[in-house]
Amino acid sequence: QLNAVIFDLDGVITDTAEYHFIAWKQLAEQLGITFDRAFNEQLKGVSRMESLERILALGGQTDRYTMAEKEALAHQKNEHYKQLIARMTPDDLLPGMLDLLRELKRQNIKIGLASASKNAFTVIERLGIREYFDTIVDAAKVQNSKPHPEIFLTAAEQLRVDPSTCIGVEDAQAGVAAIKAANMFAIGVGDKEALKEADYIVETTADLTYDAIVRAFYRE
Ligand code: BG6
Ligand code: MG
């Protein structure tokens, strides 16, 4: 039985995954490190500091900066990111997402948010969709980052539903792994190859209709 759908935010509900990419890419270039979209797949769903560590490792610069310098670099990226999200409006919801949220509400299925971002509340507010969520679990509320299942398990607990009755929706490798580790049904949005661990994959959110996800869930 399907009781809840728990969504990732960046790259699923809105295209902030692109803004994270732009902001990291600019910082990396400043440090003389080039990275492409394939590498960026490994940053999706990963916390701010861990993302910076991965970028520095890519450039062979792991030991070049002190902790204070790393914090300053992460801060600089976040300031750029905050500029990018400052102008977001409800028009920035990805195709089909508002319809899906509405239909889930209509069908009395609980809705959760499981986001690794400390900016999650700001983005949800800017999109004007706060009212749809029965719970929001963000980076501040968990110890372990994705692919650890904690963030999805915490959301299920707060919704008072068994994880096996939940669908998790993710655009990140680390996120799909977290959903599977939480014993939930994993829906991946995006690249088939990158998200191959998911139980069901759609290319874009336009394919994420209520009927499609319910059918996929019960087919298992
Ligand atoms: C995740 C994004 O949702 O949040 C990552 O997929 C990002 O790209 C992470 O690094 C942390 O976000 P923030 O806003 O706290 O830096
Ligand atoms: Mg994401």
Side-chain angles (χ1 to χ4, degrees), residues 118-209:
K118 291 179 179 159
N119 294 295
F121 274 94
T122 309
V123 172
I124 289 297
E125 287 293 335
R126 293 219 58 87
L127 294 170
I129 53 171
R130 175 69 188 91
E131 60 183 316
Y132 288 97
F133 293 91
D134 299 298
T135 188
I136 292 181
V137 185
D138 67 3
K141 299 199 190 74
V142 293
Q143 303 288 319
N144 304 290
S145 348
K146 300 168 187 178
H148 194 286
E150 184 183 2
I151 196 163
F152 284 96
L153 290 175
T154 304
E157 211 174 284
Q158 292 191 353
L159 294 171
R160 299 179 195 287
V161 292
D162 190 89
S164 65
T165 67
C166 297
I167 290 176
V169 189
E170 266 287 354
D171 69 319
Q173 272 161 21
V176 167
I179 296 169
K180 292 311 295 171
N183 192 30
M184 296 178 184
F185 186 82
I187 296 185
V189 184
D191 188 71
K192 267 209 165 59
E193 192 44 41
L195 304 172
K196 55 175 179 266
E197 272 186 69
D199 298 300
Y200 180 69
I201 303 173
V202 292
E203 222 166 282
T204 72
T205 57
D207 302 323
L208 219 51
T209 61

Side-chain angles (χ1 to χ4, degrees), residues 8-11 16-17 20-21 24 40 43-49 51 74 77-78 81 114-120 139 146 170-172:
D8 171 47
L9 172 64
D10 297 324
T16 36
H20 282 293
F21 174 64
W24 280 129
N40 187 58
L43 300 185
K44 289 185 179 173
V46 173
S47 74
R48 195 181 307 163
M49 279 314 268
S51 297
K77 179 268 175 177
N78 193 50
Y81 179 72
S115 173
S117 172
K118 291 179 179 159
N119 294 295
K146 300 168 187 178
E170 266 287 354
D171 69 319

Side-chain angles (χ1 to χ4, degrees), residues 3-41:
N3 286 328
V5 179
I6 302 170
F7 293 93
D8 171 47
L9 172 64
D10 297 324
V12 169
I13 289 175
T14 185
D15 202 10
T16 36
E18 187 63 19
Y19 293 160
H20 282 293
F21 174 64
I22 291 169
W24 280 129
K25 198 171 160 63
Q26 187 179 93
L27 183 83
E29 273 164 13
Q30 175 191 316
L31 303 176
I33 303 168
T34 38
F35 74 86
D36 54 13
R37 282 179 186 276
F39 175 77
N40 187 58
E41 287 299 321

